[in-house]
Amino acid sequence: MKVQNICCIGAGYVGGPTMAVIAKKCPDIKVTVVDINQERIAAWNDENVDNIPVYEPGLSAVVAEARGRNLFFSTDVDKAIDEAEMIFISVNTPTKTYGEGKGQAADLKWIELCARQIARVAKGDKIVVEKSTLPVRTASTLKDILTHTGDGLSFQILSNPEFLAEGTAVEDLMDPDRVLIGGDQTPEGLNAIQALVDVYARWVPKDKILTTNVWSSELSKLTANAYLAQRVSSINSLSELCEFTEADINEVARAIGTDSRIGPKFLKASVGFGGSCFQKDILNLVYISRSYGLNEVADYWEQVIIMNDHQKRRFAKKIIKNLYNTVSGKKIAFLGWAFKKDTNDTRESAAIYVADHLLNEQSFIETYDPKVKKEQVYTDLDYLGSRSSEENRKNLTVGTDPYKVCEGAHAVAVLTEWDEFKTYDWKRIYDGMLKPAHVFDGRNILDKEALRSIGFQVHAIGTAD
Ligand code: NAD
Ligand code: UGA
């Protein structure tokens, strides 16, 4: 079967870039991305392609090329479902904030709504593709909903999890390490798998397209994230030990990373991992394991989260300790608010939690991030509910000029590894600050020796200073 019409429900950080790249690579397939969020769709359709809602290097060029040709963004979900032979579900699956499984289980209400909408609208057979990250066995729920309300139509459910990382989404989509497609091992299921393989095979080498049963695919996505996050928590746990022993975490990371069995990537000690997925996916893995009575398995993975919370708290405490055990009334400048560089996404960013801790100690914070909008910073803080939004606006301000943001500060804290922070005129920053002037480098990106020779007191992650 040759796919001619694709619909993707969910125009977020995954749906938008993924469909833009499919449309670029398959000009003969019509790709329609739909969302219930009108503002988001309007932004994807903005005449000025620099105003699209997701910032990713290279993305605006891909959108500019395909939009209006075979890539469309719309709020008419029913029409897009009706037209498509293949429907990707790429909606959000956050941690539940209520009821059974609150704080751990994935909230699947948006997924279920999509399934019900597909069942209601579909007039012909469809291939439904799970693009969202889902608990293992979700495909059986989807199948249940689709076949019980779908007027005897035939639905094939595929699992095709996305492995792109934000900040490198376009690169990851154009040249992925692998594409994973899971489906039923029946003749109909294998046909559906083949239809999706044929889409990716336009630009991904065949040996990088892995096909599995649907459960392996669902579980592999959760576990890939758990493994990655576990590496960050492992190196972060050692960063604390380094600070007590005069070992240097950068040297340790290099030494262990050159072992080809360990590998050099994902060994950067930091203020803690953030992002919308690591925490939620591990919590989900913990919840699933516990629901099968596998307490040791659950405890093992939960430790990755416990370590990460500790690392964020530890960074805030380090600032307080070095500012003579009080930050009350002191100004601290934050460089970076996004959860990593090259993205405007702030979900679960370490900066939010470090700021919250310092605000509880009555410090005053001014932040600067090259891509994050002011309102987003306040939304993130208000969401925690630690204090009123008036207080958040009074005690934290958001600047647009990094030099001004650092002026009059007791300390500068680097929360995101944006490249531009390395190239600042640090002498100028030093001259504008109160003395002693402290730098807390939560990403180990600055040249410590150069800063020290200017006069800064420098505190990095995983070194004894
Ligand atoms: P997102 O919040 O950026 O986007 C989800 C979009 O779905 C939103 O715009 C929302 O309005 C829309 N939506 C929700 N319910 C809808 C409905 N019933 N009909 C139409 N639209 C609806 O989320 P995201 O970051 O793109 O993540 C989506 C999924 O992909 C999640 O399961 C996530 O775990 C997974 N994932 C994310 C990343 C990442 O880097 N962000 C990477 C891999 C996988
Ligand atoms: C991660 C995975 O890398 C993707 O493969 C996956 O598709 C995605 O989650 C998802 O499912 O959402 P992402 O969260 O976008 O991607 O970004 P990462 O590069 O993985 O970084 C996550 C966090 O870990 C960031 O806060 C980053 O700063 C931190 N990190 C990463 C470190 O602190 N040290 C490292 O060495 C690497």
Side-chain angles (χ1 to χ4, degrees), residues 9-16 34-37 40 54 77 89-94 109-111 113-114 117 131-134 161-166 221 225 276-277 280-281 339 345 347:
I9 310 180
Y13 280 87
V14 168
V34 291
D35 205 295
I36 40 176
N37 183 335
R40 215 167 204 184
V54 171
V77 184
I89 302 182
S90 188
V91 300
N92 36 323
T93 51
K109 72 176 169 210
W110 293 278
I111 292 285
L113 279 173
C114 289
Q117 190 157 4
K131 183 49 102 180
S132 296
T133 301
L134 297 168
E162 185 47 61
F163 294 102
L164 70 81
E166 290 178 32
K221 173 61 199 178
N225 274 356
S276 60
C277 294
K280 107 174 144 59
D281 293 347
F339 82 98
D345 195 350
R347 290 177 287 182

Side-chain angles (χ1 to χ4, degrees), residues 14 56 133 162-168 172 178 221 224-225 228-229 231-232 235-236 264-278 280-281 308 338-341 343 345 348-350 415 417 442-443:
V14 168
E56 279 291 339
T133 301
E162 185 47 61
F163 294 102
L164 70 81
E166 290 178 32
T168 52
D172 294 344
R178 79 320 208 167
K221 173 61 199 178
N225 274 356
L228 290 168
R231 273 175 79 92
V232 180
I235 201 77
N236 281 345
K265 294 183 183 164
F266 252 70
L267 286 179
K268 279 198 212 93
S270 67
V271 55
F273 61 74
S276 60
C277 294
F278 277 179
K280 107 174 144 59
D281 293 347
N308 196 47
F339 82 98
K340 63 185 286 197
K341 73 172 179 177
T343 178
D345 195 350
E348 290 299 330
S349 178
L415 276 304
E417 73 281 24
R443 296 290 184 165

Side-chain angles (χ1 to χ4, degrees), residues 308-377:
N308 196 47
D309 287 340
H310 172 65
Q311 190 75 351
K312 292 182 270 188
R313 214 170 26 244
R314 196 168 83 71
F315 186 71
K317 284 185 170 172
K318 190 190 225 174
I319 296 178
I320 298 164
K321 181 166 167 246
N322 282 284
L323 294 184
Y324 314 105
N325 290 315
T326 177
V327 289
S328 179
K330 293 181 182 168
K331 174 175 170 181
I332 299 169
F334 270 33
L335 292 181
W337 190 263
F339 82 98
K340 63 185 286 197
K341 73 172 179 177
D342 291 339
T343 178
N344 58 346
D345 195 350
T346 63
R347 290 177 287 182
E348 290 299 330
S349 178
I352 305 168
Y353 296 92
V354 175
D356 189 52
H357 195 108
L358 294 173
L359 290 172
N360 282 343
E361 294 290 330
Q362 301 183 343
S363 99
F364 173 71
I365 299 175
E366 192 159 354
T367 69
Y368 167 77
D369 187 287
K371 290 286 172 195
V372 177
K373 298 206 171 103
K374 182 174 169 175
E375 273 319 303
Q376 187 60 50
V377 174

Side-chain angles (χ1 to χ4, degrees), residues 19-187:
M19 292 303 129
V21 168
I22 290 184
K24 176 187 164 68
K25 296 290 186 181
C26 313
D28 55 318
I29 299 181
K30 181 180 173 194
V31 180
T32 309
V33 193
V34 291
D35 205 295
I36 40 176
N37 183 335
Q38 295 188 356
E39 225 176 286
R40 215 167 204 184
I41 291 298
W44 280 112
N45 282 324
D46 198 297
E47 243 171 74
N48 180 352
V49 84
D50 289 330
N51 291 338
I52 56 176
V54 171
Y55 173 71
E56 279 291 339
L59 180 61
S60 52
V62 176
V63 171
E65 179 189 330
R67 198 176 59 181
R69 177 190 70 190
N70 64 324
L71 175 66
F72 302 92
F73 295 93
S74 160
T75 50
D76 194 344
V77 184
D78 284 3
K79 179 163 177 272
I81 291 173
D82 181 36
E83 282 177 2
E85 303 100 46
M86 183 177 270
I87 302 162
F88 287 78
I89 302 182
S90 188
V91 300
N92 36 323
T93 51
T95 304
K96 268 186 92 175
T97 53
Y98 56 89
E100 186 76 23
K102 175 180 173 178
Q104 281 200 331
D107 193 341
L108 299 181
K109 72 176 169 210
W110 293 278
I111 292 285
E112 184 170 336
L113 279 173
C114 289
R116 289 189 185 278
Q117 190 157 4
I118 296 168
R120 183 170 53 73
V121 172
K123 297 201 239 3
D125 297 350
K126 309 271 180 204
I127 299 172
V128 176
V129 185
E130 299 175 343
K131 183 49 102 180
S132 296
T133 301
L134 297 168
V136 55
R137 307 246 13 126
T138 305
S140 74
T141 307
L142 290 183
K143 187 132 209 166
D144 233 37
I145 294 170
L146 288 167
T147 47
H148 278 91
T149 43
D151 293 338
L153 297 174
S154 155
F155 293 97
Q156 282 302 317
I157 320 283
L158 299 180
S159 161
N160 171 223
E162 185 47 61
F163 294 102
L164 70 81
E166 290 178 32
T168 52
V170 174
E171 220 177 298
D172 294 344
L173 288 162
M174 300 268 207
D175 184 19
D177 282 351
R178 79 320 208 167
V179 165
L180 179 60
I181 303 172
D184 277 356
Q185 301 300 298
T186 56

